[in-house]
Each structure stands twice: as structure tokens, then as C-alpha cells.
């Protein structure tokens, strides 16, 4: 299947403005091909596609060199990763991590402010993602695809007047601002919950006489998922998305997520608010807030008939760094932990009165975190529904006053 360039004319057919080459409305600066000699154990991070997807990690390379403002990234810069797996890496991001130096295979994109509003350009690029994906797919070799400068020059888009651009992106930006606000609130809430947990359980010098010691396996059940390739939808069944490590990391399912039958055993159906622990590969403990899906193998669904969610979530998360170290030490191709590590992970169980008191403080915090995440998922769906309607001109915003 080849990319139909005329599709860009059709999808923007209701927008009034001047047609321009995508390349001509912005400056596209590719990152540098850093060499090992440039690396250091301190300094400024080198931002690769891995950092764009997952943030700064122990695998991030640093450098003490100075390479110029053209390839220096700071908060608010737009970047376009043009090489990689077309389903995951071809995208544009608002850069919100640490300042860093731009690696190759990523463009730093600076829109021409006389022609196109920065926010409008950002949403335009999001709108064109499927086109980029198709271009990259057609060029895939060894699993990788790419979008070139020649492709950007060949793609033409209609650019309306700046005033129209501002009106067009206003509802989208309002939704994203609310999502960002919720995320900032959640970050603060989780820090509060963690501080309370540490002060109560971790930082104490002695254990009260009426408290007891146990293990993670004593306070929760860790249910491993199914090999979902054996449970595909049958006949005309629509199915539900499969929750794998990729989905857990990004916090949602997407068009590339596999499907499984919705008739699997209910224990393996995951709903908003469930605690999920990926015990193989990328170890992570989190609340799932991405809608109903089926639990794949290599992920634990953590639950308990005896203890509350805040308790087994906080204790599992407390031991996560230890689990990561253990998995890393035994890793050949993919590190993992065994149930023996869960059995050897100590927890403190307070008396009934203290358990109720502590839970009355921490539990509402996590409930609000989950509620904010679920709201963000609904807001993101609304934004993604509005995006093509606004960018194509299907929704007329010419008379909107802002």
C-alpha cells in the first residue's frame, strides 16, 4: 500500500487558507550522531527516542560538551522523532523533561511564527500522524521506518489565517491544559501519600509491640496473566484490548494493541483502578486507568480480600527498586523476578486501629489519583475526537470569540 499524497487535499478540503509545504512552515533541525567519546557519567543528558518515550533513566547517556542552541532542548520545544517503529516513534512531543542535547533521528522543530501558531502546528502534526505512519511503513527495513526531509517538502497543507488558528486550537489546548493540571495534582498527591507511608512504616526506628511482620504474599494475591494469543476473539466478537507491558507503560491501549476475547475468566479482566505489576522486562507498579482490557502474561494483577488497595499498592511499590536490581542482575535478554522474591519481601502490618487511621488518610489520596487519571483518559478521547473535526474544517470555528 502506497501513501496517497492527494489524501492531504481531501482531509483539509473544508479549511480556507494558503497551501504550503510542511517543510517550509518550520525549521527542522536533526540531532547529532553522538559518539562514545562524547559520553560522561555527569553533565547534560543526551535525548534519544528512548528518553522521549520513557523519560530519563539509568540507561540515559550524559555529556559535558557544548553543541550549540540548534540542538539544545528545553521545556516547551517541539520535537519530531522521524525514525523507528512507525506505530510508536513517529510523533511530535511537547518536551517536558530535563534540558538536554538532541540525538540523531529526531528533529527539533521550530514553526515560523509569522505563518503558523506554535500550538496550531503541534496539533496539525498530531493530526497528520497517520500520514507519517504510512510513509514510514512503506520504507520499513529491518523493522524500522522513517520520514525524510524530502517527504516533508512533498507534503502540502492548508494554513489558515493566524486568528483562525488561535480559535481552532483553543478547545484542544483547554483540554490538554486540564489534563496537565490533573497530572500535576496527581504528582503532588502521590508525593504526599509516599511521604506518609515512609514516615509511618519505613522511617521508624522500632516496631510497635502490637504490630506484626509478614510478606507481600501474605497481604495480596499476585495473579499472572494469560498467554493471550490463545484467547483471540472468535467469530464476530469485537473483543477487548490486551494489557501488555507497552500499554502499562503508556497508561493506555491504542490502535496497535492486540485484542482478546471478552469471555475470558473474570479474574483476568482488568478495570480502572486495578493495581498492575509488570514483573518481567520493564518492572513497574501502577494503577491501571486505561479502561477494560485483558491481562497478558508477564503482568501481575495485585488484589486482596483482606487488605485495602492502598496497603498492598504502597508495599509493592516500596520493594520495586529492589526487584529492579534483582531482575537486572539475572538478566540475559529480559530480567524478571520470581515469587520467592515476593515471599522474601517484608511488610509491616499495624494493629487494627492504626490500620484504619492510616488508611483514612492515604486511601482518599489514591482514590483521587485514580479519579484524575480516569478523567484524563476521557478528556484525551474527547480531544482526539475533536482534533480531526477541527483540523479538517468539519467544525467551523470562524465565528468563535476567544
Amino acid at each position: 500500500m502506497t501513501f496517497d499524497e492527494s489524501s492531504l487535499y481531501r482531509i483539509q478540503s473544508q479549511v480556507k487558507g494558503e497551501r504550503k509545504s510542511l517543510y517550509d512552515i518550520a525549521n527542522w533541525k536533526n540531532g547529532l550522531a553522538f559518539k562514545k567519546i562524547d559520553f560522561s557519567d555527569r553533565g547534560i543528558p543526551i535525548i534519544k527516542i528512548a528518553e522521549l518515550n520513557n523519560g530519563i533513566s539509568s540507561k540515559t547517556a550524559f555529556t559535558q560538551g557544548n553543541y550549540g542552541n540548534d540542538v539544545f532542548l528545553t521545556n516547551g520545544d517541539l520535537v519530531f522523532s522521524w525514525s523507528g517503529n512507525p506505530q510508536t516513534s513517529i510523533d511530535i512531543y511537547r518536551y517536558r523533561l530535563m534540558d538536554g542535547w538532541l540525538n540523531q533521528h529526531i528533529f527539533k522543530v521550530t514553526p515560523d511564527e509569522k505563518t503558523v501558531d506554535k500550538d496550531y502546528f503541534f496539533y496539525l502534526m498530531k493530526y497528520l500522524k497517520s500520514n507519517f505512519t504510512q510513509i514510514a511503513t512503506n520504507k520499513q527495513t529491518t523493522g524500522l521506518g522513517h520520514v525524510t526531509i524530502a517527504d516533508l517538502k512533498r507534503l502540502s497543507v492548508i494554513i489558515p489565517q493566524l486568528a483562525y488558528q488561535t480559535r481552532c486550537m483553543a478547545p484542544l489546548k483547554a483540554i490538554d491544559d486540564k489534563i496537565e493540571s490533573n497530572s500535576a495534582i496527581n504528582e503532588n498527591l502521590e508525593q504526599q501519600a509516599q511521604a506518609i507511608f515512609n514516615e509511618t512504616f519505613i522511617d521508624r526506628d522500632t516496631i510497635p509491640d502490637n504490630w506484626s511482620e509478614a510478606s507481600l504474599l501474605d497481604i495480596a494475591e499476585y495473579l499472572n496473566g494469560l498467554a493471550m494469543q490463545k484467547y483471540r476473539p472468535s467469530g464476530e466478537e469485537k473483543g477487548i484490548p490486551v494489557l501488555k507491558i507497552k500499554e502499562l507503560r503508556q497508561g493506555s491501549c491504542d490502535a496497535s494493541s492486540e485484542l482478546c476475547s471478552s469471555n475470558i475468566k473474570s479474574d483476568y479482566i482488568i478495570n480502572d483502578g486495578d493495581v498492575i505489576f509488570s514483573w518481567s522486562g520493564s518492572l513497574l507498579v501502577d494503577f491501571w486507568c486505561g479502561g477494560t482490557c485483558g491481562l497478558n502474561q508477564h503482568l501481575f494483577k495485585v488484589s486482596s480480600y483482606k487488605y485495602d488497595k492502598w496497603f498492598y499498592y504502597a508495599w509493592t511499590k516500596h520493594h520495586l527498586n529492589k526487584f529492579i536490581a534483582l531482575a537486572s542482575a539475572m538478566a540475559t535478554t529480559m530480567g524478571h523476578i520470581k515469587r520467592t522474591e515476593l515471599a522474601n519481601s517484608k511488610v509491616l502490618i499495624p494493629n487494627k486501629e492504626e490500620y484504619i487511621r492510616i488508611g483514612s488518610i492515604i486511601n482518599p489520596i489514591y482514590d483521587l489519583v485514580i479519579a484524575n487519571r480516569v478523567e484524563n483518559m476521557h478528556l484525551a478521547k474527547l480531544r482526539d475526537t475533536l482534533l480531526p473535526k477541527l483540523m479538517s474544517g468539519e467544525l467551523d470555528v470562524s465565528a468563535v470569540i476567544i
Side-chain angles (χ1 to χ4, degrees), residues 57-71:
S57 71
S58 59
K59 297 181 180 180
T60 299
F62 292 79
T63 181
Q64 297 188 59
N66 190 329
Y67 306 96
N69 289 334
D70 284 351
V71 290

Side-chain angles (χ1 to χ4, degrees), residues 228 240-244 260 264 268-270 292-296:
M228 284 301 180
I240 57 176
V242 176
L243 173 55
K244 305 175 83 170
C260 68
I264 58 176
Y268 298 95
I269 299 290
I270 302 303
T292 302
C293 51
L295 184 68
N296 196 59

Side-chain angles (χ1 to χ4, degrees), residues 287-350:
F287 299 113
W288 175 251
C289 299
T292 302
C293 51
L295 184 68
N296 196 59
Q297 60 186 344
H298 304 297
L299 296 173
F300 285 135
K301 176 183 178 180
V302 189
S303 61
S304 177
Y305 293 105
K306 187 176 181 181
Y307 294 98
D308 295 309
K309 184 181 300 182
W310 71 267
F311 191 66
Y312 56 79
Y313 167 78
W315 274 112
T316 305
K317 186 177 180 181
H318 168 69
H319 289 287
L320 183 61
N321 287 337
K322 179 187 70 175
F323 293 149
I324 292 173
L326 288 169
S328 178
M330 69 174 65
T332 51
T333 56
M334 183 179 292
H336 62 277
I337 65 165
K338 301 177 180 178
R339 286 187 180 272
T340 52
E341 272 84 48
L342 299 175
N344 292 331
S345 297
K346 185 179 71 172
V347 306
L348 296 179
I349 302 177

Side-chain angles (χ1 to χ4, degrees), residues 145-157:
H146 58 274
V147 175
T148 64
I149 289 291
D151 296 317
L152 298 173
K153 290 180 177 179
R154 192 164 58 247
L155 294 176
S156 63
V157 291

Side-chain angles (χ1 to χ4, degrees), residues 169-185:
M169 65 85 190
L172 301 175
K173 191 170 186 301
I175 293 173
D176 273 336
D177 286 347
K178 176 58 176 173
I179 291 174
E180 185 170 341
S181 175
N182 283 347
S183 298
I185 290 171

Side-chain angles (χ1 to χ4, degrees), residues 88-135:
T88 59
S89 295
I90 304 300
D91 204 350
I92 191 162
Y93 300 81
R94 292 180 185 272
Y95 192 76
R96 303 190 186 282
L97 304 173
M98 295 172 60
D99 291 352
W101 297 111
L102 184 65
N103 194 58
Q104 61 180 344
H105 304 300
I106 306 171
F107 288 128
K108 178 181 178 181
V109 191
T110 308
D112 178 5
E113 62 182 15
K114 295 180 180 179
T115 303
V116 59
D117 178 87
K118 181 179 178 181
D119 289 316
Y120 184 86
F121 181 86
F122 170 75
Y123 289 113
L124 175 64
M125 292 293 289
K126 296 288 285 186
Y127 176 51
L128 297 175
K129 180 177 179 178
S130 61
N131 299 96
F132 293 128
T133 298
Q134 188 60 64
I135 293 171

